[in-house]
Amino acid sequence: MQRRLPHEWRDEEKSLYVYIVNMSLETHIAGSDDQLIAGLHFAGRNTASYITSRQNVSFAPQTASNFKPSGSRLMRFSLADQQGWLDGGSVRLIFKLTNLHVTGSLQPIVDSPASMFRRLRIIANGSAVLEDIEEYSRVHQLFSELLPSQRRYNNITEAWGGAFIASGLDSPVHPDPIEADTERTVVVHLMSSLLGQGKLLPLSMLPVILELELGELNDCFAGGDNQWEISRPRLVADVVQIDNQLANSYASHALAGRSLPLNFSGLYSLKSAVPTGSSLYSFPIARGFTRLNTVYLSFWDGTGKFVNSFYSPLVGLTNTTLNDDFEYHLTVGADRYPQFSIDSHQECFYRLRLARQIAQGTDSVSISPHAYRTNKFITALNLEKVPGASSHSGINTRSGSQLTINLRNTGAATTCHVILMYDQICNISAAGVEVLD
């Protein structure tokens, strides 16, 4: 029998088709459960009477009271309390920054004073390293560039204060300079996966040491003749107290041989020199991870400041096929990611949005199109099987398969900077702290 098109159907056939389609939808709707909408739900809100108090406390450094690159440059804070639970999201570093130059002003070129530090380490129980981030100044600025402009606007207001200068998408606020022979109190929101993982930290079971190592004098300020000093640093944070019944239940849990797991993302930062004039370059990563999630990639060409210059191989040219010849891919053993090399700035930005889980337009980054192909080139590759929908879905690079980054046509780049994000668990028990990565 010859098949007829829908417009050739008789009226009764069309009515039957509509009836069948509607019945299929009605069948699906009939199988759904009714739930009370929020506007008709009058149950009381949850309470937390087991929280007895919340205090804002300060932690002084153990090492010194004044710091500068030519003197004492390592700040060490001991976060210890017998009964308190630390709210990591409330932690801020506050200090006075003095411009020691007699004539020149101190002009910040980064979003946060956190970029004054080249390394951050968090150690628990004296020996368990929870975080160790090298090149912390650039890492902090890189992730700040990937925030929406509104959040950067607020962050800079909290950190430096802003000047009354016209701003744009990729420079939402210009920090105020610190005039000669004056000082300013700054507030630093430290980028730390442990402090930002959302769980309260039991300081009686997890005594934490936080270390910050200063960088050089000119790293994050304009010019090359800066003189400054940090004085009266302190960490401020909120510490929560719980009632005895709940505290005893946690103690019994630990004494029974069970642990409290903290899940958070680890950051591993490293850089490598790119051979001059090389069109092909492979960067092997010696360290392995049980679950590697994301690889961030950026370059520096030796000009400007390393902390805030993200060199683009396109060097500001129009993004035609002739000009845009940079490409890269990753290999883990015999596996290749992605299947075909990423070979344009447009795809690099697409991969960056996928890695940030904003490819559907749910959020944005504060990098303009022109800046992206000039001095704000950051790309990334997500290696998770179900990003954002499940935990521990990254790839294993510890089973004898080494991760290698393969680059082609990097232009005048002299340094390749790589940041690896991976799953990490900190098990807190009566026996101590165990770090699993």
Side-chain angles (χ1 to χ4, degrees), residues 3-11 13-14 17:
R3 182 177 180 182
R4 289 179 298 155
L5 298 175
H7 69 273
E8 299 175 325
W9 292 353
R10 297 191 301 273
D11 290 343
E13 290 176 322
K14 294 179 181 179
Y17 174 78

Side-chain angles (χ1 to χ4, degrees), residues 179-349:
E179 300 302 327
D181 199 27
T182 61
E183 66 180 16
R184 176 182 299 162
T185 300
V186 297
V187 178
V188 184
H189 186 183
L190 296 172
M191 188 190 70
S192 164
S193 297
L194 175 69
L195 298 179
Q197 45 78 37
K199 302 291 185 184
L200 298 179
L201 303 178
L203 295 179
S204 58
M205 294 187 284
L206 187 70
V208 169
I209 299 292
L210 189 148
E211 293 182 349
L212 293 162
E213 182 182 344
L214 278 173
E216 301 302 326
L217 285 169
N218 301 313
D219 282 353
C220 58
F221 299 100
D225 187 29
N226 296 296
Q227 298 290 330
W228 50 263
E229 182 181 54
I230 290 175
S231 60
R232 298 175 59 189
R234 67 189 192 278
L235 280 180
V236 298
D238 286 355
V239 173
V240 170
Q241 304 291 338
I242 60 177
D243 62 24
N244 291 333
Q245 181 179 358
L246 183 58
N248 291 336
S249 69
Y250 280 114
S252 300
H253 179 88
L255 291 174
R258 295 188 289 269
S259 62
L260 298 175
L262 291 176
N263 292 269
F264 58 98
S265 296
L267 285 178
Y268 180 54
S269 167
L270 70 164
K271 63 181 181 179
S272 173
V274 178
T276 305
S278 175
S279 60
L280 292 172
Y281 174 59
S282 294
F283 185 6
I285 309 296
R287 182 174 172 181
F289 304 95
T290 304
R291 288 293 182 270
L292 176 63
N293 297 330
T294 311
V295 178
Y296 287 87
L297 185 66
S298 64
F299 299 101
W300 184 49
D301 64 347
T303 62
K305 301 293 178 76
F306 177 71
V307 65
N308 71 338
S309 297
F310 303 94
Y311 167 81
S312 165
L314 200 52
V315 290
L317 299 174
T318 55
N319 51 340
T320 60
T321 304
L322 180 63
N323 296 330
D324 193 2
D325 58 355
F326 167 73
E327 61 182 71
Y328 78 97
H329 68 273
L330 312 181
T331 55
V332 180
D335 296 327
R336 178 181 174 124
Y337 302 91
Q339 186 176 2
F340 298 99
S341 294
I342 300 168
D343 59 359
S344 70
H345 274 52
Q346 275 62 47
E347 186 175 356
C348 286
F349 194 75

Side-chain angles (χ1 to χ4, degrees), residues 328-385:
Y328 78 97
H329 68 273
L330 312 181
T331 55
V332 180
D335 296 327
R336 178 181 174 124
Y337 302 91
Q339 186 176 2
F340 298 99
S341 294
I342 300 168
D343 59 359
S344 70
H345 274 52
Q346 275 62 47
E347 186 175 356
C348 286
F349 194 75
Y350 160 68
R351 298 290 177 178
L352 174 64
R353 295 181 76 189
L354 281 180
R356 301 290 293 173
Q357 298 178 24
I358 58 174
Q360 299 296 327
T362 53
D363 213 335
S364 62
V365 300
S366 51
I367 301 177
S368 69
H370 181 265
Y372 189 72
R373 65 174 193 260
T374 308
N375 60 355
K376 298 297 180 185
F377 178 71
I378 303 166
T379 186
L381 194 61
N382 191 291
L383 302 173
E384 294 178 277
K385 301 177 185 67

Side-chain angles (χ1 to χ4, degrees), residues 61 64-75 77 93-100 106 113-117 160 178 182-186 188 212-217 220-221 227-234:
S65 58
N66 290 55
F67 301 86
K68 56 184 177 180
S70 60
S72 179
R73 61 194 306 165
L74 180 65
M75 293 186 191
F77 297 90
L93 172 63
I94 301 177
F95 58 80
K96 290 188 179 295
L97 178 60
T98 303
N99 183 4
L100 301 178
L106 194 63
S115 291
M116 298 170 67
F117 301 97
W160 298 109
I178 302 175
T182 61
E183 66 180 16
R184 176 182 299 162
T185 300
V186 297
V188 184
L212 293 162
E213 182 182 344
L214 278 173
E216 301 302 326
L217 285 169
C220 58
F221 299 100
Q227 298 290 330
W228 50 263
E229 182 181 54
I230 290 175
S231 60
R232 298 175 59 189
R234 67 189 192 278

